């Protein structure tokens, strides 16, 4: 993406983002596409690898991987729960790097509880190679009145 394309993308993101599911600034910036399988209870996010995801070594920054997996797990909760759930703990293990192509993150429940949910998400590349796996613990966030 050249500078002109990047600036056009940034303008579009700024003009269209909203504080609601699937529409926050970072989701639009990274071009997240959300897909749900309600029967299997999964959420899948796909996005292209872009150069602004890269760390100084020229590969996708580990924080981007964790952001994608946290987002997939969070949206799965948002879809199936009656109140928000927030991340209590995340642990990401990295297996392979990516510098280009497309990323696909799929989240699923390991143990779906009322107050606490245990979840897992994996990120794979276009060839299906496992890039990372994140386990997450999520807590029911009942807003105080």
């Amino acid at each position: 993406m050249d500078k002109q394309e990047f600036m056009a993308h940034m303008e579009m993101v700024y003009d269209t983002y909203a504080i609601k599911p699937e529409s926050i600034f970072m989701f639009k910036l990274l071009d997240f596409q959300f897909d749900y399988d309600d029967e299997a209870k999964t959420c899948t996010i796909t996005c292209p690898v872009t150069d602004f995801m890269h760390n100084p070594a020229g590969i996708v920054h580990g924080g981007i991987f964790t952001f994608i997996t946290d987002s997939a797990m969070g949206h799965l909760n948002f879809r199936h729960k009656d109140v928000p759930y927030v991340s209590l703990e995340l642990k990401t293990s990295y297996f392979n790097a990516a510098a280009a192509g497309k990323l696909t993150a799929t989240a699923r429940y390991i143990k779906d509880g009322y107050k606490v949910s245990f979840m897992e998400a994996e990120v794979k590349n276009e060839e299906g190679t496992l890039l990372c796996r994140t386990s997450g613990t999520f807590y029911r966030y009942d807003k105080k009145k």
Side-chain angles (χ1 to χ4, degrees):
M1 180 181 302
D2 67 22
K3 186 176 181 178
Q4 191 171 8
E5 291 171 321
F6 177 77
M7 293 309 293
H9 179 69
M10 287 298 288
E11 269 189 48
M12 182 279 302
V13 168
Y14 184 79
D15 290 343
T16 61
Y17 85 94
I19 306 300
K20 61 182 188 178
E22 301 179 20
S23 296
I24 70 168
F25 186 86
M26 287 297 293
F27 298 161
K28 290 192 169 271
L29 178 68
L30 299 174
D31 198 18
F32 282 10
Q33 302 299 312
F34 293 83
D35 185 46
Y36 302 91
D37 182 333
D38 290 328
E39 189 174 319
K41 281 193 169 181
T42 61
C43 173
T44 299
I45 296 174
T46 57
C47 67
V49 173
T50 57
D51 56 357
F52 53 86
M53 292 178 168
H54 290 173
N55 64 19
I59 57 175
V60 175
H61 189 286
I64 298 291
F65 284 123
T66 302
F67 179 69
I68 293 169
T69 56
D70 183 33
S71 298
M73 291 183 285
H75 275 74
L76 183 58
N77 274 325
F78 193 81
R79 187 155 176 110
H80 291 280
K81 305 289 186 175
D82 60 346
V83 299
Y85 278 62
V86 295
S87 308
L88 282 179
E89 179 182 49
L90 298 170
K91 178 191 179 289
T92 302
S93 298
Y94 304 95
F95 305 109
N96 288 289
K102 186 170 81 169
L103 302 176
T104 301
T106 302
R108 68 190 63 73
Y109 289 102
I110 302 301
K111 172 83 170 94
D112 184 8
Y114 176 77
K115 280 284 202 188
V116 177
S117 290
F118 299 91
M119 306 178 80
E120 183 176 84
E122 295 179 340
V123 177
K124 295 181 179 180
N125 63 16
E126 293 169 293
E127 291 77 38
T129 302
L130 180 63
L131 304 176
C132 77
R133 180 176 291 130
T134 300
S135 60
T137 307
F138 291 79
Y139 182 74
R140 182 182 178 90
Y141 179 68
D142 291 310
K143 293 181 182 178
K144 306 290 185 235
K145 293 181 182 181

